[in-house]
Amino acid sequence: MIALKPGVKLKGLTPQVLIAMQAAEHIWWFHGQTTLVVTSCNDGQHKEGSFHYVGQAVDFRIKTMPEKLRAKAVAQLKEALGGEFFVLHESAGTDNEHVHVQWTER
């Protein structure tokens, strides 16, 4: 299941980002997470020029996944999405820990 953190807006997302969400949902489920939480799309505050503002980026919650599985899940997501996506495990070990995924439109 995919759930949205309150305030997340989906309007204007590229189809590629939706595919990334589906891939992440499957990988999170494989690692024991029954729900993939989307924490940001084209909402919130991001750095200037962020892919979030043009519907090409999404953030996922990962801090609820057991710590020993997180790096493997991120690696699997990178592999599943391939070279057109940039996948980054951000702020590991903090309250803001999440996975950032953006479609780079090569």
Side-chain angles (χ1 to χ4, degrees):
M1 175 166 77
I2 298 174
L4 306 177
K5 179 179 170 181
V8 169
K9 295 182 179 24
L10 301 176
K11 185 176 181 181
L13 292 181
T14 62
Q16 293 82 357
V17 169
L18 299 176
I19 289 169
M21 291 169 69
Q22 290 177 319
E25 176 191 23
H26 179 75
I27 292 165
W28 265 230
W29 178 85
F30 181 78
H31 290 285
Q33 304 299 293
T34 57
T35 303
L36 171 73
V37 178
V38 176
T39 59
S40 186
C41 288
N42 52 17
D43 48 81
Q45 293 184 349
H46 304 280
K47 67 180 181 177
E48 187 176 329
S50 171
F51 281 68
H52 283 279
Y53 295 125
V54 292
Q56 291 180 227
V58 61
D59 292 336
F60 304 122
R61 182 170 293 150
I62 197 168
K63 64 185 179 181
T64 55
M65 185 182 292
E67 191 172 351
K68 65 182 180 179
L69 301 176
R70 296 175 193 171
K72 186 171 184 174
V74 172
Q76 288 175 331
L77 185 57
K78 284 181 184 180
E79 183 179 348
L81 294 176
E84 289 192 11
F85 288 86
F86 174 69
V87 179
L88 181 63
H89 185 179
E90 293 191 274
S91 304
T94 72
D95 286 343
N96 191 39
E97 183 172 4
H98 64 281
V99 176
H100 170 84
V101 177
Q102 69 187 39
W103 176 55
T104 58
E105 196 173 3
R106 291 187 181 179

